[in-house]
Amino acid sequence: NGGGLPSLQELFDARVADVTAFHLRAIRMQWAWMAARAFIDGKLTINYAADQGSEYPEVTIDFGRDSNLNITLSTGYWSDTSYDIVGELSDWSNLMYGTKYGGRPTTLIVGSSVVPYIQNNEGIKELLTTQSRGSEDTLVRQGMLNVDEPLSYVGTIGGIGQSIEIWTYKDVVEAPNGDMVDILNPKDVLLIAPGAGGVMAYGAIYDVDAFEGGNISMDIFPKMFKLNDPGDMYVMHQSSPLPVNTSPNKVLKARVLA
């Protein structure tokens, strides 16, 4: 506008853009949280705000992960430097391979609290040369590691006919009460086989304007409307996401620290 003051329309448009950006970020963060729960936990709890205007109870959708692939250690932990992490990973690898619709894992994602115990484990150190801290098959990064990056490479454990890349994951989302919640528990690890994943589905938008416009099912339904007394303009964005884990047995989840 040539350096002059913005017009009322320009101010209005800027405010609409700000609100829209806030809404879309919140919705996409919710998508990411739900997809993570479906992938990590093999199940997802949905808290419905409403179903066609009525209160509706929460529903847990279980994608059918084999119960043997959800593990909580109780008699020993990876924090013990003499714990046989390599042997346990081998056992878990064979367990996944022998599970219906499972697979041979190639990736280990560890929570941020687990990384130091990977670096200092005696069994893993035995696989490393004293000069390079890594042979052709096995490499573990030592020294400082920024575990606050969402995804950081830790190393690779080699073996007969198989190797497993190790990564650490650290990221958070904001809960409705304002608390910051870890997407992956810092004490957990995920053993992942190729093909793990799913699809994002979108349910009906229970809004008469969506129905009349033929937009019964879409990723995000935008809407702007005016209310009187006092007059004001409202911006609304609605979404009914459902991430579907199509290969739940290609992931093993374990709590490895006390």
Side-chain angles (χ1 to χ4, degrees), residues 11 21 41 60 67 74 99 103 105 108 110 121 124 176-177 187 228 252:
L11 290 171
D41 302 331
T60 296
S67 60
S74 58
T99 300
L108 176 70
V110 303
N121 181 262
I124 293 177
N177 62 2
K187 299 179 180 181
N228 297 318
L252 179 149

Side-chain angles (χ1 to χ4, degrees), residues 68-69 71 92 95-96 189-192 250-254:
N68 292 318
L69 301 182
I71 298 169
W92 289 350
L95 174 63
M96 292 180 66
V189 303
L190 302 175
L191 202 53
I192 304 170
K250 293 187 183 298
V251 175
L252 179 149
K253 174 188 172 185

Side-chain angles (χ1 to χ4, degrees), residues 220-231:
I220 299 175
F221 176 68
K223 178 178 178 179
M224 183 182 296
F225 56 95
K226 183 171 68 174
L227 293 180
N228 297 318
D229 196 22

Side-chain angles (χ1 to χ4, degrees), residues 69 71 84-98 104-105 162 191 252:
L69 301 182
I71 298 169
D84 188 9
I85 293 178
V86 176
E88 187 151 72
L89 289 175
S90 180
D91 291 340
W92 289 350
S93 173
N94 291 328
L95 174 63
M96 292 180 66
Y97 185 72
R104 183 70 70 186
Q162 179 186 18
L191 202 53
L252 179 149

Side-chain angles (χ1 to χ4, degrees), residues 229-244:
D229 196 22
D232 205 349
M233 188 70 74
Y234 288 83
V235 178
M236 177 184 292
H237 293 82
Q238 302 174 72
S239 182
S240 297
L242 178 61
V244 180

Side-chain angles (χ1 to χ4, degrees), residues 79-135:
S79 52
D80 182 352
T81 57
S82 63
Y83 194 92
D84 188 9
I85 293 178
V86 176
E88 187 151 72
L89 289 175
S90 180
D91 291 340
W92 289 350
S93 173
N94 291 328
L95 174 63
M96 292 180 66
Y97 185 72
T99 300
K100 187 175 182 180
Y101 303 126
R104 183 70 70 186
T106 57
T107 304
L108 176 70
I109 297 181
V110 303
S112 56
S113 297
V114 181
V115 178
Y117 305 115
I118 294 286
Q119 293 175 314
N120 296 316
N121 181 262
E122 294 174 359
I124 293 177
K125 283 185 175 181
E126 289 179 1
L127 300 176
L128 308 175
T129 67
T130 57
Q131 288 81 17
S132 64
R133 279 294 187 226
S135 65

Side-chain angles (χ1 to χ4, degrees), residues 39-235:
F39 184 85
I40 294 171
D41 302 331
K43 58 185 176 181
L44 174 65
T45 298
I46 298 178
N47 295 292
Y48 291 92
D51 179 34
Q52 300 186 59
S54 302
E55 293 299 321
Y56 201 73
E58 69 177 28
V59 174
T60 296
I61 301 174
D62 193 325
F63 297 106
R65 177 177 296 162
D66 189 295
S67 60
N68 292 318
L69 301 182
N70 289 315
I71 298 169
T72 300
L73 300 184
S74 58
T75 57
Y77 301 98
W78 286 19
S79 52
D80 182 352
T81 57
S82 63
Y83 194 92
D84 188 9
I85 293 178
V86 176
E88 187 151 72
L89 289 175
S90 180
D91 291 340
W92 289 350
S93 173
N94 291 328
L95 174 63
M96 292 180 66
Y97 185 72
T99 300
K100 187 175 182 180
Y101 303 126
R104 183 70 70 186
T106 57
T107 304
L108 176 70
I109 297 181
V110 303
S112 56
S113 297
V114 181
V115 178
Y117 305 115
I118 294 286
Q119 293 175 314
N120 296 316
N121 181 262
E122 294 174 359
I124 293 177
K125 283 185 175 181
E126 289 179 1
L127 300 176
L128 308 175
T129 67
T130 57
Q131 288 81 17
S132 64
R133 279 294 187 226
S135 65
E136 183 177 346
D137 297 320
T138 299
L139 168 69
V140 175
R141 288 183 172 176
Q142 299 293 326
M144 295 179 62
L145 180 66
N146 184 4
V147 295
D148 290 328
E149 289 294 326
L151 192 65
S152 300
Y153 177 71
V154 176
T156 300
I157 295 179
I160 300 174
Q162 179 186 18
S163 64
I164 294 178
E165 284 193 352
I166 306 173
W167 296 77
T168 182
Y169 183 80
K170 172 70 174 178
D171 205 356
V172 296
V173 296
E174 185 175 359
N177 62 2
D179 292 342
M180 303 307 291
V181 181
D182 284 292
I183 292 179
L184 175 65
N185 190 295
K187 299 179 180 181
D188 287 353
V189 303
L190 302 175
L191 202 53
I192 304 170
V199 297
M200 181 68 83
Y202 298 98
I205 303 295
Y206 286 108
D207 187 298
V208 66
D209 291 330
F211 290 151
E212 291 178 349
N215 299 313
I216 296 177
S217 178
M218 60 187 304
D219 55 353
I220 299 175
F221 176 68
K223 178 178 178 179
M224 183 182 296
F225 56 95
K226 183 171 68 174
L227 293 180
N228 297 318
D229 196 22
D232 205 349
M233 188 70 74
Y234 288 83
V235 178

